[in-house]
């Protein structure tokens, strides 16, 4: 009864009730009481539906769920629906012009706020999906009424249950799948044909496995093998006596999932599926997808591009969006699509789209999308893009298929592949706030304990790290804690791990100040510039001035590169070396792209020191007649533009080195770029020579060697490279002498004597 009939019936109830209450008759009063009850039954209520996943509800309301199955309950406040408390009721839910009937049990609870009803995630999904799934507004006020209160309602047991599998973890063994189903129905469950039921593996399968099984009830057979597909008021009990049969996968939406329980016994372990710190990208992704779930858009194909360094969280982000929107996740590596012939590529694209259609509604994640854009083996990228576009335009599916391509850098894609997408997104390195959220989420998921001081240290030291790298650092630090036998994670464990990072994020080999000798004034000048740029730990500046870069120039072998490495190492900053000639490329525009890429890498590795060796090779004076194609002019212009685009935070400091500063373009030597030039020449005084020798031989085992005497044997002008050659030759002579004596044992040590140095000096100076 609904619409005008319901309104007329209510008016009739009110009219009869007013008449019988005016009479002093016991039978008429009973009739009035019955009419008042009927008035309640047909009254339409507005409640806001709240829903939680089954595992969370079990922990949230454990006492109320002990004797009931979650999917058959509506929780209400004690003051709501009083006549139907703890009773089975036939509900009719209404949304727009659609209705949905369901038998549910009303359970009162003081924990439910007034004006709300609480149900399981599966129940909410059944109510929502019975209407138009795509137009239903989450948490909207829904109209419903109780058609009948069933004081004595006994469910029958089902003999046979036939299901369609909607979702299960990849590579899940059939034995574990069967075990999970058996555990699930070990306590009787009320089901109805058309129900979609999800089973949390952490509750019924394997503990600490945060995944689920989802199936749809296709057919229920009662005690007399009676098929009850269309009887909306009829439900059956499924228990261990019921034979369960599973059919193949069918396309279908899934219940929405946003949370999981780390410990199914504790409510405070509820954690979002989406890693914290990625929220802004997540909400943008949802805005992309939702319009295509609401209605079909003629002429628009849902193709989007997400770029970001490996480990930035692209796959995690897409999977979280799938769980939120009830979509399947289907991923494929574009390397498996690329082939030697266009015919085979077309077949691979068609097969990929067909697979996605069979798993719809879904998000098709094309990994390594840049491989589609690369030209190799005679394949034309324009032809390949046109083929991809044609297949997508002609592609049809009963449910939506959203295509999201991912790559490391959108600059790697040809323009044709970018233009077929509707929108693009780049996941950059996390900010300090985002890293703090990521570390909090990871420590919670992996059950790690960090005190405030340690967490602040990790946040400050992972500035050049993305989500995956931060996760690895935390796990490796926990490994160090276990190996050392300590009870708590502290800064020392993270310092050990951070020291092992690759040269992209940290120095591959630490260079200490003691390894650099004879350039004390140069070291002080560079350090003061770093302090003014807020790169050192103090991050203060005495005069507020900031310097972008310093140019080191001088003859070869004077220690320019060594000094740059020592500065980066001792300031605990990442070192990004750039060899000038390596940036040049024969293809048009590729050299400029290499310059932009290296600056992009430096920004992502910030705070860092960017070191350009052989700077004159990529920044010669513009307007040179020998540059007929203007290639080097464009490279220099790109270099100047990228240097100017560095922000004012001082997180990227540039050191350049050259033997010929006269060949450099003058525009590089203005303030804001390389605004100071430091000359590093050969050692001329005995004091500087002595400091270099001490630095080079500090790890040698010396016997009867006086470095002051060796300094007097050196030429008037000598470079650090020459002295390095003398020291290495002396050590090698001592090692050969030890071998000739035959006294070579594991504990034997090479002892360098005065005669070895004298021999090395004669050998090096003659050459």
């Amino acid at each position: 009864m609904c619409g005008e009939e319901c309104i007329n019936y209510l008016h009739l109830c009110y009219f009869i009730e007013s008449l019988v209450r005016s009479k002093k008759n016991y039978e008429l009063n009973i009739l009035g009481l019955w009419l008042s009850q009927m008035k309640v039954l047909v009254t339409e209520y507005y409640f806001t539906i709240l829903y939680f996943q089954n595992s969370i509800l079990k922990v949230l309301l454990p006492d109320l769920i002990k004797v009931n199955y979650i999917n058959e309950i509506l929780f209400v406040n004690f003051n709501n629906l009083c006549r139907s408390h703890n009773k089975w009721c036939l509900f009719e839910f209404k949304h727009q012009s659609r209705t949905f009937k369901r038998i549910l049990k009303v359970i009162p609870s003081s924990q439910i706020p007034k004006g709300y009803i609480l149900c399981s995630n599966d129940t909410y999904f059944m109510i929502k999906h019975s209407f138009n799934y795509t137009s239903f507004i989450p948490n909207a006020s829904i109209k419903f009424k109780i058609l009948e209160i069933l004081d004595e309602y006994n469910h029958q047991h089902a003999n046979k249950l036939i299901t369609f599998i909607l979702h299960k973890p990849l590579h899940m063994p059939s034995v574990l799948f069967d075990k999970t189903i058996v555990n699930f129905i070990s306590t009787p469950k009320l089901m109805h044909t058309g129900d979609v039921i999800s089973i949390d593996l952490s509750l019924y399968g394997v503990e600490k496995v945060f995944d689920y099984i989802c199936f749809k009830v296709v057919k229920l057979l009662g005690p007399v093998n009676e098929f009850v597909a269309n009887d909306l008021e009829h439900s059956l009990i499924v228990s261990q006596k019921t034979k369960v049969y599973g059919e193949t996968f069918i396309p279908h939406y899934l219940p929405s999932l946003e949370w999981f329980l780390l410990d199914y016994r504790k409510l405070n372990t509820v954690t979002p599926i989406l890693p914290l710190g990625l929220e802004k990208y997540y909400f943008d992704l949802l805005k992309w997808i939702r319009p295509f779930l609401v209605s079909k858009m003629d002429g628009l194909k849902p193709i989007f591009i997400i770029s970001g360094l490996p480990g930035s969280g692209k796959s995690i982000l897409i999977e979280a969006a799938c769980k939120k929107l009830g979509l399947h996740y289907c991923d494929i590596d574009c390397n498996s699509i690329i082939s030697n012939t266009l015919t085979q590529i077309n077949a691979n694209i068609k097969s990929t789209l067909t697979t996605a259609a069979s798993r719809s509604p879904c998000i098709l994640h094309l990994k390594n999308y840049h491989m589609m854009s690369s030209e190799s083996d005679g394949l034309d990228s324009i032809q390949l893009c046109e083929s991809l576009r044609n297949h997508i335009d002609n592609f049809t599916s009963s449910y939506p298929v959203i295509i999201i391509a991912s790559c490391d850098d959108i600059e790697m894609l040809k323009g044709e592949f970018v233009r077929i997408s509707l929108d693009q997104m780049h996941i950059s390195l996390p900010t300090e706030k985002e890293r703090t959220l990521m570390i909090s989420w990871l420590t919670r998921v992996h059950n790690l304990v960090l005190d405030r001081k340690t967490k602040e240290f990790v946040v400050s030291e992972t500035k050049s790290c993305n989500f995956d790298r931060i996760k690895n650092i935390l796990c490796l630090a926990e490994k160090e804690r276990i190996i050392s036998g300590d009870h708590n994670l502290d800064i020392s464990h993270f310092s050990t791990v951070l020291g092992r990072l690759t040269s992209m994020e940290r120095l591959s080999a630490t260079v200490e100040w003691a390894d650099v000798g004879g350039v004390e004034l140069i070291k002080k000048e560079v350090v003061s510039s770093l302090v003014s740029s807020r790169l050192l730990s103090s991050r203060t500046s005495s005069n507020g001035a900031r310097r972008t870069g310093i140019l080191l120039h001088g003859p070869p072998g004077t220690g320019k590169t060594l000094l740059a490495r020592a500065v980066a190492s001792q300031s605990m900053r990442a070192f990004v070396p750039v060899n000038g000639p390596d940036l040049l490329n024969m293809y048009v525009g590729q050299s400029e792209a290499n310059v932009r890429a290296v600056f992009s890498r430096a920004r992502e590795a910030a705070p860092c020191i960017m070191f350009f060796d052989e700077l004159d090779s990529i920044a010669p004076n513009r307007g040179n007649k020998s540059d007929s194609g203007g290639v080097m002019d464009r490279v220099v212009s790109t270099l100047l533009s990228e240097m100017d685009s560095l922000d004012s935070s001082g997180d990227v400091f540039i050191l350049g080195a050259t033997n010929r500063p006269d060949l450099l373009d003058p525009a590089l030597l203005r303030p804001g770029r390389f605004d100071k030039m430091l000359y590093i020449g050969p050692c001329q005084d005995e004091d500087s020579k002595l400091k270099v020798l001490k630095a080079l031989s500090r790890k040698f085992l010396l016997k009867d060697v006086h470095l002051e005497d060796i300094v007097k044997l050196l030429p008037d002008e000598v470079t650090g490279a020459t002295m390095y050659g003398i020291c290495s030759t002396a050590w090698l002579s001592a090692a050969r002498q030890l071998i000739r004596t035959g006294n070579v044992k594991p504990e034997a040590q090479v002892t360098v004597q005065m005669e070895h140095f004298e021999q090395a000096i004669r050998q090096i100076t003659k050459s």
Side-chain angles (χ1 to χ4, degrees), residues 54 69 71 102 121-123 125-126 129 166 192-198 214-217 252-255:
N54 299 11
Y69 172 45
N71 287 352
R102 183 73 186 192
N121 198 44
D122 291 350
T123 303
F125 176 77
M126 287 185 292
H129 196 70
L166 302 183
H192 190 280
T193 301
D195 282 359
V196 173
I197 296 171
S198 55
C214 188
F215 63 85
K216 182 176 182 179
V217 177
H252 202 282
Y253 284 100
L254 302 172

Side-chain angles (χ1 to χ4, degrees), residues 249-263:
F249 176 87
I250 62 168
H252 202 282
Y253 284 100
L254 302 172
S256 175
L257 295 177
E258 296 182 70
W259 311 85
F260 60 87
L261 271 176
L262 299 176
D263 188 340

Side-chain angles (χ1 to χ4, degrees), residues 238-279:
V238 175
S239 63
Q240 288 182 321
K241 298 178 182 179
T242 307
K243 295 181 180 179
V244 182
Y245 299 90
E247 300 292 338
T248 56
F249 176 87
I250 62 168
H252 202 282
Y253 284 100
L254 302 172
S256 175
L257 295 177
E258 296 182 70
W259 311 85
F260 60 87
L261 271 176
L262 299 176
D263 188 340
Y264 63 90
R265 294 176 292 268
K266 300 176 182 177
L267 184 62
N268 60 1
T269 62
V270 176
T271 304
I273 291 175
L274 176 76
L276 300 180
L278 296 173
E279 294 93 333

Side-chain angles (χ1 to χ4, degrees), residues 350-402:
K350 185 176 180 180
S351 174
T352 300
L353 294 176
T354 302
T355 302
S358 66
R359 292 182 58 83
S360 64
C362 72
I363 291 180
L364 174 59
H365 181 193
L366 299 178
K367 296 181 176 179
N368 296 317
Y369 187 52
H370 57 274
M371 294 302 300
M372 301 281 288
S373 180
S374 60
E375 296 185 358
S376 60
D377 299 325
L379 292 176
D380 186 0
S381 63
I382 298 178
Q383 269 188 320
L384 202 155
C385 180
E386 194 62 30
S387 175
L388 178 64
R389 184 199 298 271
N390 291 334
H391 277 90
I392 293 175
D393 288 342
N394 298 325
F395 168 69
T396 58
S397 175
S398 55
Y399 286 93
V401 174
I402 314 296

